[in-house]
Amino acid sequence: MGRCYPHLNLEERRKLAKWLDAKIPIKEIADNLARAPSTIYREIRRNFYHDEELPELNGYHAVNAQDQYEKRRAVHRKLIRHPELMAAVLDGFDAGWSPEQIAGRMKLERHPTRVSHETIYRYAYSKDGRAEKFYRHLPEHRRRRRPRGTRKHHGRRFLDELAIAHRPDMVADRNQFGHWECDLVMFRKEFGKANVTSLVERVSRYAVVLKNPDRQSKPVMESLIESLSPLPANARRSITFDRGTEFTAWQYLKAGLGVDSWFCDPQSPWQKGTVENTNNRLRRYLPRKADPTAFTNRYLGSICDRLNATPRKCLGYQTPSEVFRAKLMEGEP
């Protein structure tokens, strides 16, 4: 089967209008745009501007052609043509579902009219969707969509045998001391790529906070090695991460510290709920609007001291510091 017809973009339409005004032959224009002549003829026929009152304005105008193209596309969008479908999509967002989950559920329930997740994304980043700020409903709240061909998939960087499903039960059940969870605390883009590593031990809820200048994986791992290396081996057995690019240098961590690494399933941060809960507590002292480059090690240390000295119900109202110290003293094998 042949490829689907690729519509011209605004830049191509601007060039077309300029060359038409210069009386350049259609075949030459098609060659310049690396398009078929039939594509150029079709474009002119579809988007030619006619003005009965002022015929001198008749012609092919790039911006007008782009507007006509976008209007035709909008007329055929399911989410515009079917308000009940839009309502169902919004109900899914209200329930915390992703576009893929919404579309999948519609298919499972055999809705008479349904959409694919790609249709939902396309609407979100269309002219109408941007006007409504529809992107706010999406999981990552991106104002602009990355081109599909440039999206990066990092799952292959994490071995299947290191998936959280293979993590020993004694880790999952918190029956053994020395297993940690790790995440990055991010801040507003205007402050650059600086961030903070949050690290928490699963049994004691003991937290460590570290400053990072950016999200490069190897420096993040070096910071973890430096922080955990003074501890005895029984206090640093494993770390559970999500699948962010900042954790792809896990082999460097293994070589430098001998610590096992486990990775959550894709898009499943809830599987490391201990550090997610710790991040929520940290936000009281490290709000997203704060400038992370201004944080000193002393300030971050004071935050850790406060968190680790706070009684926790899950610890029988002992503090994380007390439990952590007791576990160290036990010298659990």
Side-chain angles (χ1 to χ4, degrees):
M1 295 180 63
R3 294 177 60 187
C4 62
Y5 166 61
H7 294 271
L8 273 67
N9 57 38
L10 179 57
E11 182 60 28
E12 290 174 313
R13 290 187 168 102
R14 284 174 172 158
K15 292 178 180 178
L16 173 57
K18 180 178 68 174
W19 290 334
L20 287 174
D21 287 342
K23 309 298 183 184
I24 295 177
I26 295 297
K27 188 176 186 308
E28 186 176 341
I29 292 175
D31 289 340
N32 291 339
L33 293 176
R35 298 279 190 163
S38 60
T39 299
I40 305 303
Y41 282 116
R42 186 187 300 113
E43 169 67 21
I44 296 171
R45 185 178 68 253
R46 283 179 171 178
N47 297 320
F48 194 87
Y49 178 73
H50 295 276
D51 192 317
E52 296 180 358
E53 297 182 0
L54 298 172
E56 63 271 18
L57 297 180
N58 290 352
Y60 182 87
H61 308 293
V63 175
N64 178 72
Q66 183 73 15
D67 286 343
Q68 290 189 60
Y69 161 73
E70 291 182 354
K71 286 178 182 178
R72 283 197 305 273
R73 298 283 287 180
V75 167
H76 296 289
R77 287 197 187 99
K78 284 186 177 180
L79 291 175
I80 294 177
R81 292 166 53 206
H82 301 282
E84 70 282 3
L85 193 58
M86 173 67 82
V89 170
L90 292 175
D91 286 344
F93 282 134
D94 289 341
W97 296 0
S98 69
E100 190 170 21
Q101 290 167 332
I102 293 170
R105 189 67 183 180
M106 286 183 176
K107 184 177 181 180
L108 177 67
E109 296 178 350
R110 298 186 178 181
H111 284 224
T113 305
R114 56 180 183 258
V115 292
S116 68
H117 68 280
E118 183 63 25
T119 298
I120 298 174
Y121 278 112
R122 285 182 178 177
Y123 176 77
Y125 295 107
S126 69
K127 187 175 181 179
D128 297 303
R130 288 196 301 269
E132 299 173 17
K133 296 186 177 179
F134 196 85
Y135 65 87
R136 292 182 175 178
H137 296 293
L138 302 178
E140 296 188 6
H141 309 293
R142 295 183 189 276
R143 290 178 181 267
R144 299 186 179 217
R145 191 178 191 186
R146 292 178 297 189
R148 295 186 68 188
T150 62
R151 294 182 201 165
K152 298 179 181 179
H153 300 278
H154 302 288
R156 66 184 182 278
R157 300 185 182 182
F158 305 101
L159 301 178
D160 290 340
E161 53 265 34
L162 301 182
I164 198 168
H166 301 299
R167 190 175 67 174
D169 291 340
M170 67 176 61
V171 182
D173 297 337
R174 305 180 195 271
N175 290 330
Q176 188 178 53
F177 175 65
H179 299 283
W180 300 73
E181 294 180 8
C182 183
D183 198 10
L184 294 193
V185 179
M186 307 304 296
F187 302 86
R188 289 183 178 173
K189 290 183 178 180
E190 56 261 36
F191 299 124
K193 298 182 180 180
N195 60 81
V196 167
T197 297
S198 59
L199 188 64
V200 59
E201 200 279 320
R202 284 176 53 81
V203 172
S204 64
R205 277 65 168 187
Y206 186 86
V208 177
V209 182
L210 309 168
K211 183 177 178 180
N212 300 310
D214 53 42
R215 295 179 62 179
Q216 293 186 32
S217 187
K218 188 174 179 180
V220 170
M221 294 302 169
E222 287 177 340
S223 180
L224 292 177
I225 292 172
E226 182 179 355
S227 178
L228 294 180
S229 57
L231 296 176
N234 71 300
R236 45 177 174 85
R237 303 175 195 266
S238 76
I239 304 178
T240 299
F241 304 97
D242 59 34
R243 298 193 178 220
T245 58
E246 58 271 16
F247 304 128
T248 54
W250 57 270
Q251 292 174 314
Y252 186 77
L253 178 67
K254 176 71 173 179
L257 201 58
V259 171
D260 292 330
S261 296
W262 303 105
F263 296 95
C264 299
D265 296 328
Q267 300 177 348
S268 301
W270 54 269
Q271 292 179 331
K272 51 179 180 57
T274 304
V275 74
E276 294 291 331
N277 178 274
T278 300
N279 289 350
N280 290 335
R281 295 171 182 270
L282 285 171
R283 281 300 184 192
R284 179 178 179 182
Y285 312 101
L286 305 175
R288 188 173 294 275
K289 64 182 180 181
D291 181 359
T293 61
F295 299 155
T296 64
N297 291 331
R298 182 175 181 179
Y299 175 66
L300 295 179
S302 68
I303 294 173
C304 289
D305 290 343
R306 177 170 296 203
L307 289 180
N308 293 329
T310 301
R312 302 286 297 276
K313 182 179 180 180
C314 61
L315 300 176
Y317 295 103
Q318 296 183 83
T319 68
S321 289
E322 290 170 342
V323 176
F324 189 81
R325 190 180 305 112
K327 291 294 183 181
L328 285 178
M329 297 295 293
E330 290 175 6
E332 182 181 345

